[in-house]
């Protein structure tokens, strides 16, 4: 099963650096500029599992602090773009943590968490990339590497295009959750053939991101639907940096996901004492409700509220959610002898009561039970029948008198 990317790069003339900041409407519309008064994500590390990130572009210089290649055809530092869409990883990273270092001051792409640090894990998606490592194995290896190398958040702007996933992902994602890492995944795009949410966005405990247009309405082409959607973020009219420098305008939940990953980074920077469950809860509970949950999830993200509002404590955690799912859905793959029996509640055994002896004389004498269930009903029924008969006789006599007149 292949893994595909969740974006559509639009045919558009290259944007000039002095136009870029004005095009990033989500920074103001979704409260990031207000959240920046508190934090810009310093001290938080986000892993970008994608097609590789070009760290030489101006906006990403100094942002990448580590990297790896899971495909076997990229560079060891994860900064050589590979796969079917070589622009993808760099654009995702710029939306998340671009430094805003264009050719003129206050220009170029600035990410939603511009002081967060990045880990670049390159994977090659597609069937003819030259990689001999399966897509599924690349993802599992990249997730584990990200955890081992200090990721606080993992961004996955990709989809398997099926709701299910291999068991190797059970272990990898559970490893991330048990090590207090937040995983964010794109819901996928109908315009790219993803009609419903696919893994990893279907994995319990993952923040699944749907996309909306500039008016905050569900995007028809640049998003998909499903019951696992957590929140919604902009997925249309996005702008990102491409490898080698320059900019591209694009649509897709591949862009919505890093916007949410950046928000999680801001939350984790502002509340370093919060665990992953608490950080997720802040993002989800402060979202602005918009409509059906299978389309919008909890609603539109609100960065200012996620940083500043008081929120209730989290009631569950990603590891527990995934463990429960594994226990329920993977049990068929476990031999009965290998599965420990569930503990049984102790049961007290009682002897059956002795049946009463029959007494022929007592059977003829009415008791309270027979009076209530037999005798009284029979008397009532008999009285009712007699009344009907008497009324019939009276009616017959009455008609006879009339006829005689």
């Amino acid at each position: 099963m292949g893994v595909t990317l969740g974006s559509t790069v639009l045919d558009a003339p290259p944007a000039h650096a002095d136009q870029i900041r004005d095009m990033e409407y989500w920074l103001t519309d979704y409260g990031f500029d207000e959240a920046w008064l508190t934090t810009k994500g310093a001290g938080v590390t986000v892993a970008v599992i994608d097609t590789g990130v070009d760290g030489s572009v101006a906006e990403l210089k100094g942002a990448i602090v580590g990297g790896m290649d899971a495909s076997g055809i990229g560079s060891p530092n994860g900064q050589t773009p590979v796969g079917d869409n070589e622009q993808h990883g760099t654009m995702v990273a710029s939306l998340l943590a671009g430094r805003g270092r264009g050719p003129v001051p206050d220009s170029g792409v600035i990410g939603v968490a511009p002081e967060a640090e990045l880990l670049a894990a390159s994977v090659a998606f597609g069937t003819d990339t030259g990689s001999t490592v399966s897509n599924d194995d690349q993802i599992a290896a990249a997730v584990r590497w990200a955890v081992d190398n200090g990721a606080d958040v993992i961004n996955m702007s990709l989809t398997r295009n099926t709701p299910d996933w291999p068991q190797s992902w059970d272990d990898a994602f559970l490893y991330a959750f048990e090590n207090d890492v937040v995983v964010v995944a794109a819901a996928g795009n109908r315009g790219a053939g993803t009609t419903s949410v696919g893994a990893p966005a279907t994995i319990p405990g993952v923040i699944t991101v749907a996309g909306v247009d500039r008016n905050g309405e569900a995007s028809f082409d640049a998003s998909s639907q499903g019951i696992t959607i957590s929140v919604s973020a902009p997925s249309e009219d996005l702008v990102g940096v491409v490898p080698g420098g320059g900019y591209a305008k694009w649509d897709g939940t591949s862009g919505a996901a890093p916007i949410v990953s950046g928000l999680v980074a801001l939350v984790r920077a502002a509340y370093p004492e919060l665990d992953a469950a608490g950080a997720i809860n802040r993002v989800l509970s402060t979202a602005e409700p918009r409509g059906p949950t299978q389309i919008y999830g909890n609603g539109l993200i609100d960065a200012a509220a996620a940083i500043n509002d008081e929120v209730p404590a989290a009631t569950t955690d990603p590891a527990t959610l995934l463990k429960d799912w594994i226990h329920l859905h993977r049990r068929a793959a476990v031999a009965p002898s290998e599965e420990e029996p569930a503990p049984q509640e102790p049961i007290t055994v009682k002897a059956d009561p002795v049946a009463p002896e029959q007494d022929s004389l007592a059977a003829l004498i009415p008791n309270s039970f027979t009076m209530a269930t037999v005798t009284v009903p029979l008397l009532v029924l008999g009285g009712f029948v007699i009344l009907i008969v008497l009324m019939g006789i009276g009616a017959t006599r009455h008609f006879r008198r009339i006829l005689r007149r």
Side-chain angles (χ1 to χ4, degrees):
M1 172 58 63
V3 180
T4 59
L5 305 168
S7 70
T8 302
V9 180
L10 304 180
D11 292 327
H16 297 292
D18 55 357
Q19 298 173 326
I20 296 300
R21 199 63 55 82
D22 292 339
M23 296 173 68
E24 295 186 86
Y25 63 90
W26 52 91
L27 298 179
T28 299
D29 291 357
Y30 288 82
F32 285 99
D33 53 358
E34 185 176 342
W36 287 347
L37 298 175
T38 301
T39 178
K40 291 186 177 181
V44 176
T45 302
V46 184
V48 177
I49 298 178
D50 216 289
T51 60
V53 179
D54 182 0
S56 69
V57 298
E59 279 85 351
L60 294 174
K61 282 184 178 179
I64 301 176
V65 296
M68 65 88 73
D69 173 57
S71 70
I73 60 175
S75 58
N77 64 2
Q79 295 188 42
T80 298
V82 296
D84 290 345
N85 189 342
E86 295 184 349
Q87 297 183 349
H88 198 269
T90 303
M91 292 192 295
V92 166
S94 65
L95 276 172
L96 199 163
R99 292 339 198 201
R101 297 171 182 159
V104 297
D106 295 324
S107 68
V109 171
I110 186 168
V112 295
E115 293 181 2
E117 295 181 328
L118 299 180
L119 297 173
S122 58
V123 290
F125 304 136
T127 57
D128 300 318
T129 61
S131 175
T132 59
V133 185
S134 73
N135 292 162
D136 290 340
D137 289 344
Q138 290 180 53
I139 296 299
V143 169
R144 285 185 167 276
W145 175 88
V147 175
D148 290 340
N149 285 269
D152 302 297
V153 186
I154 295 176
N155 185 85
M156 306 183 75
S157 293
L158 53 94
T159 179
R160 203 167 182 265
N161 273 330
T162 63
D164 61 319
W165 60 90
Q167 284 191 240
S168 63
W169 286 19
D170 291 354
D171 296 334
F173 280 77
L174 190 56
Y175 184 62
F177 296 155
E178 289 179 335
N179 281 277
D180 201 38
V181 179
V182 178
V183 179
V184 179
N189 313 319
R190 277 185 291 264
T194 304
T195 55
S196 60
V197 176
T202 52
I203 297 177
V206 169
I207 298 181
T208 298
V209 184
V212 294
D213 61 20
R214 293 196 63 159
N215 296 319
E217 300 296 332
S219 177
F220 182 80
D221 288 325
S223 187
S224 59
Q225 299 178 0
I227 60 173
T228 63
I229 289 175
S230 306
V231 287
S232 299
S235 67
E236 293 189 13
D237 297 327
L238 305 175
V239 61
V241 181
V242 298
Y247 308 96
K249 194 176 180 183
W250 59 320
D251 287 353
T253 54
S254 278
I259 291 175
V260 175
S261 290
L263 174 54
V264 176
L266 296 182
V267 170
R268 303 210 78 168
Y271 299 92
E273 76 285 357
L274 277 184
D275 59 8
I280 293 170
N281 183 54
R282 273 203 162 268
V283 173
L284 270 56
S285 64
T286 56
E288 177 189 347
R290 193 71 179 189
T293 56
Q294 70 271 22
I295 297 177
Y296 297 97
N298 286 268
L300 307 184
I301 58 168
D302 185 335
I307 297 301
N308 298 319
D309 285 6
E310 293 186 7
V311 300
T315 57
T316 187
D317 64 275
T320 298
L321 292 174
L322 183 52
K323 284 179 181 178
D324 289 347
W325 186 94
I326 291 171
H327 177 72
L328 180 63
H329 294 277
R330 301 294 193 199
R331 292 180 67 185
V334 179
S337 61
E338 298 174 355
E339 188 174 9
E340 295 183 3
Q344 298 289 332
E345 290 291 331
I347 299 174
T348 302
V349 179
K350 296 181 180 180
D352 289 336
V354 178
E357 294 182 0
Q358 297 294 321
D359 187 329
S360 57
L361 179 61
L364 300 176
I365 302 175
N367 54 34
S368 60
F369 175 78
T370 56
M371 286 289 291
T373 61
V374 180
T375 306
V376 173
L378 286 177
L379 290 174
V380 172
L381 179 61
F384 183 76
V385 171
I386 292 172
L387 179 62
I388 294 297
V389 171
L390 291 175
M391 290 177 65
I393 294 172
T396 301
R397 291 177 177 176
H398 177 70
F399 282 117
R400 285 178 177 175
R401 293 193 193 101
I402 294 174
L403 292 174
R404 288 172 182 171
R405 294 176 186 175

